[in-house]
């Protein structure tokens, strides 16, 4: 392992990497030898993975980062494309010395991970797709495009309020008022133009017609009551990615990283640490 990842492995390393003029905020965590890249969703930030990182840090060297336009990465405006995000992932991986790595993507991050699995499979070891989309029906496309139109029209507050009800169960919201307040605070800090640019990629991207070309060991998981990244889509991916594993988590909605980081980390750790011929390199 070269680059920054060859440095002392114990402490976290936080920094900024500039790719094609865009400053990306990242962190390396964990003391394990196996490289793992984590990619968050629209309007989120690298700290969304903290609960998972805390449970996996003894087995993995983990790269988490803020997507362009998010968190403490540069608030670059304009149209985003899926390959802007995949290029950022590969640039950061090169920067920290990850020649090949496992990748886990949540929601939009899952689309970014799918794209990498289709275009750069030689860089990936194993693939984890959490609460993500593929093979939308016409009705599902209409719903997400309607949310995009409302967002572009400036209906930001109601968009986020509706999102909270889709993301988290009422019981979890009632038991965690401080976290809900923090999520609202962080959302208010998002740049509306950057948020909309990233949401357009989520709303308009679908690799359903290509996903059967993925040949990597793949873990797929979503919440039983996730409306946007629903179990039907997860089953669609599972049926088309040969040898993939599928977990529908009972009682949960979209935001698995907030509501069930322990369950997510357990699934990921068990799956990623399996030995097999594909990991021989």
């Amino acid at each position: 392992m070269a680059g920054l990842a060859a440095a002392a492995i114990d402490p976290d390393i936080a920094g900024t990497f500039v790719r094609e003029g865009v400053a990306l905020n990242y962190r390396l965590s964990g003391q394990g030898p196996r490289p793992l890249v984590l990619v968050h969703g629209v309007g989120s930030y690298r700290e969304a993975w903290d609960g998972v990182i805390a449970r996996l840090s003894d087995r993995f060297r983990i790269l988490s980062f803020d997507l362009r336009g998010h968190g403490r990465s540069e608030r670059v405006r304009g149209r985003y494309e899926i390959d802007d995000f995949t290029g950022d992932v590969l640039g950061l991986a090169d920067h920290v010395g990850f020649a090949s790595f496992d990748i886990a993507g949540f929601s939009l991050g899952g689309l970014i991970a799918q794209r990498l699995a289709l275009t750069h499979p030689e860089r990936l070891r194993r693939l984890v797709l959490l609460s993500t989309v593929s093979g939308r029906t016409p009705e599902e496309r209409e719903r997400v495009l309607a949310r995009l139109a409302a967002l572009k029209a400036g209906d930001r507050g109601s968009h986020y309020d509706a999102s909270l009800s889709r993301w988290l169960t009422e019981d979890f919201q009632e038991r965690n008022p401080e976290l809900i307040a923090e999520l609202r605070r962080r959302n208010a800090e998002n740049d509306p133009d950057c948020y909309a640019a990233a949401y357009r990629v989520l709303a308009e991207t679908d690799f359903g017609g290509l996903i059967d070309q993925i040949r990597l060991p793949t873990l797929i998981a979503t919440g039983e009551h996730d409306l946007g990244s629903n179990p039907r889509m997860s089953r669609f991916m599972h049926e088309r990615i040969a040898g993939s594993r599928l977990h529908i988590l009972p009682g949960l909605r979209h935001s698995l990283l907030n509501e069930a980081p322990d369950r997510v980390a357990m699934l990921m750790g068990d799956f990623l640490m399996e030995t097999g011929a594909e990991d021989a390199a």
Side-chain angles (χ1 to χ4, degrees):
M1 190 179 297
L4 288 179
I9 205 74
D10 290 338
D12 282 5
I13 298 173
T16 300
F17 169 69
V18 178
R19 176 184 174 267
E20 297 183 350
V22 178
L24 301 169
N25 173 65
Y26 73 91
R27 183 180 66 183
L28 275 173
S29 311
Q31 302 177 37
R34 189 176 175 101
L36 170 62
V37 177
L38 305 176
V39 191
H40 66 73
V42 173
S44 190
Y45 37 87
R46 64 171 175 78
E47 290 89 351
W49 289 99
D50 280 357
V52 172
I53 290 171
R55 293 164 173 84
L56 296 180
S57 60
D58 60 330
R59 288 172 283 173
F60 296 88
R61 188 63 168 159
I62 303 170
L63 170 63
S64 58
F65 68 101
D66 291 322
L67 293 172
R68 58 173 58 207
H70 292 69
R72 290 183 292 281
S73 287
E74 188 169 345
R75 303 298 179 94
V76 56
R77 292 184 173 86
R79 184 181 176 92
Y80 295 174
E81 303 294 349
I82 189 75
D83 285 337
D84 293 325
F85 294 122
T86 58
D88 291 344
V89 172
L90 293 173
L92 279 163
D94 290 342
H95 178 63
V96 302
F98 287 3
S100 63
F101 50 90
D102 300 315
I103 189 166
F106 172 82
S107 195
L108 172 60
L111 282 170
I112 296 166
Q114 289 174 49
R115 179 66 169 168
L116 283 166
L118 290 166
T119 60
H120 292 81
E122 75 284 353
R123 296 295 301 273
L124 306 184
R125 296 183 177 185
R126 291 189 171 216
L127 177 66
V128 178
L129 303 176
L130 302 173
S131 303
T132 194
V133 298
S134 185
R136 288 184 176 111
T137 66
E139 293 77 15
E140 289 163 347
R141 283 196 297 273
E142 284 183 16
R143 284 197 294 271
V144 72
L145 290 174
R147 290 196 291 272
L148 174 63
L151 187 61
K152 287 181 174 179
D155 196 7
R156 181 180 170 193
S158 63
H159 173 90
Y160 190 73
D161 289 341
S163 295
L164 273 180
S165 69
R166 291 196 306 271
W167 292 343
L168 299 161
T169 64
E170 284 76 14
D171 179 64
F172 183 83
Q173 292 184 59
E174 290 171 3
R175 289 187 288 106
N176 296 275
E178 293 182 358
L179 173 60
I180 300 305
E182 175 65 8
L183 291 174
R184 289 184 180 280
R185 184 190 70 79
R186 292 294 298 254
N187 179 67
E189 292 179 349
N190 280 323
D191 181 283
D193 293 332
C194 295
Y195 186 104
Y199 196 86
R200 185 201 66 80
V201 176
L202 172 67
E204 296 182 1
T205 303
D206 195 319
F207 297 116
L210 300 171
I211 202 164
D212 61 349
Q213 298 177 24
I214 292 177
R215 298 289 184 265
L216 297 167
T218 302
L219 171 68
I220 302 160
T222 199
E224 177 187 13
H225 303 301
D226 189 333
L227 298 179
S229 309
N230 58 54
R232 185 202 63 77
M233 282 191 261
S234 289
R235 294 188 183 98
F236 174 92
M237 289 184 279
H238 173 54
E239 290 166 2
R240 283 158 179 79
I241 301 177
S244 61
R245 314 276 181 84
L246 174 64
H247 294 272
I248 307 298
L249 302 185
L252 295 176
R253 295 179 183 171
H254 186 60
S255 193
L256 305 183
L257 301 183
N258 282 311
E259 194 155 355
D262 51 344
R263 291 155 79 179
V264 170
M266 181 182 68
L267 289 174
M268 286 178 56
D270 290 347
F271 171 72
L272 296 175
M273 293 304 294
E274 288 179 349
T275 57
E278 78 284 349
D279 301 315

